[in-house]
Amino acid sequence: MEIATVMPSDAGDQRSGFNVSCSDSVIPLLSARRLTGTPSAMAAATLSYDADPDWLWVGTEVLRTYADDGARRAMTDLRTFIGRCPTVVVSSGPGVGDRHRFAVAPGPRLGDDSIHVSCSATSGSGTLECDSVLVRIGTTLVVVQEEGNEPGGDKYLIQLAEAALRRYQMTGS
């Protein structure tokens, strides 16, 4: 496993509330790439696992801490947006016509609250998955996401989310 530390460009990105339409501009929100609210602190790492010469798993781990009830609101907002916008078709720019599907999938019950976001993107005849597991511990969110892997590539996602949660509970980071 290789880990490279990065800071996402959405650090502190404040999204508007429930009035956002189901357009392709909400795809980062629906896939948990961005969340509602402004974190007071953020850290991220890119994860990769070279399983064999023909396959590479890539994901990210993001730790977001909020000064208030932002972590709880972000989880509630994400569930609401997925319920409102389970399918989004790209209408402009690169990937016009690509179809993104989102759902709350069965997943582990971790922390104070957790959610497994099932995400797939279909372009032509190809499909990539971008599942996420979000775990709330008090005012903190631990988010582990896979980055455009082949279908079935989420087999490491739950293990990594559990490991990230254990590390956070032991070290606070």
Side-chain angles (χ1 to χ4, degrees):
M1 183 72 60
E2 294 180 25
I3 300 175
T5 302
V6 297
M7 179 57 80
S9 60
D10 75 334
D13 190 26
Q14 183 104 18
R15 301 289 301 202
S16 57
F18 295 101
N19 296 327
V20 174
S21 70
C22 293
S23 68
D24 49 359
S25 67
V26 299
I27 290 172
L29 178 64
L30 289 165
S31 64
R33 297 291 185 263
R34 292 192 180 147
L35 297 168
T36 57
T38 303
S40 58
M42 246 176 104
T46 300
L47 313 168
S48 67
Y49 178 65
D50 192 359
D52 65 52
D54 298 323
W55 189 76
L56 172 69
W57 187 93
V58 178
T60 60
E61 178 184 333
V62 180
L63 184 67
R64 299 170 68 105
T65 301
Y66 296 82
D68 56 11
D69 199 31
R72 184 184 312 269
R73 284 192 318 269
M75 296 282 279
T76 300
D77 291 352
L78 180 59
R79 286 183 173 103
T80 300
F81 279 116
I82 289 171
R84 280 189 40 232
C85 306
T87 302
V88 177
V89 178
V90 177
S91 60
S92 64
V96 169
D98 290 0
R99 182 174 304 276
H100 296 259
R101 290 185 176 85
F102 305 94
V104 175
R109 292 179 184 252
L110 301 169
D112 297 326
D113 187 16
S114 60
I115 182 174
H116 177 178
V117 177
S118 172
C119 168
S120 67
T122 303
S123 177
S125 63
T127 300
L128 293 176
E129 293 181 349
C130 48
D131 284 16
S132 302
V133 172
L134 294 85
V135 181
R136 184 181 62 79
I137 307 100
T139 60
T140 300
L141 288 178
V142 176
V143 183
V144 177
Q145 305 164 322
E146 64 171 333
E147 303 289 335
N149 295 302
E150 295 294 322
D154 65 344
K155 66 182 179 180
Y156 301 109
L157 188 64
I158 303 300
Q159 295 169 1
L160 289 170
E162 290 170 342
L165 175 61
R166 281 191 304 272
R167 186 178 63 249
Y168 175 76
Q169 290 172 324
M170 291 173 55
T171 67
S173 62

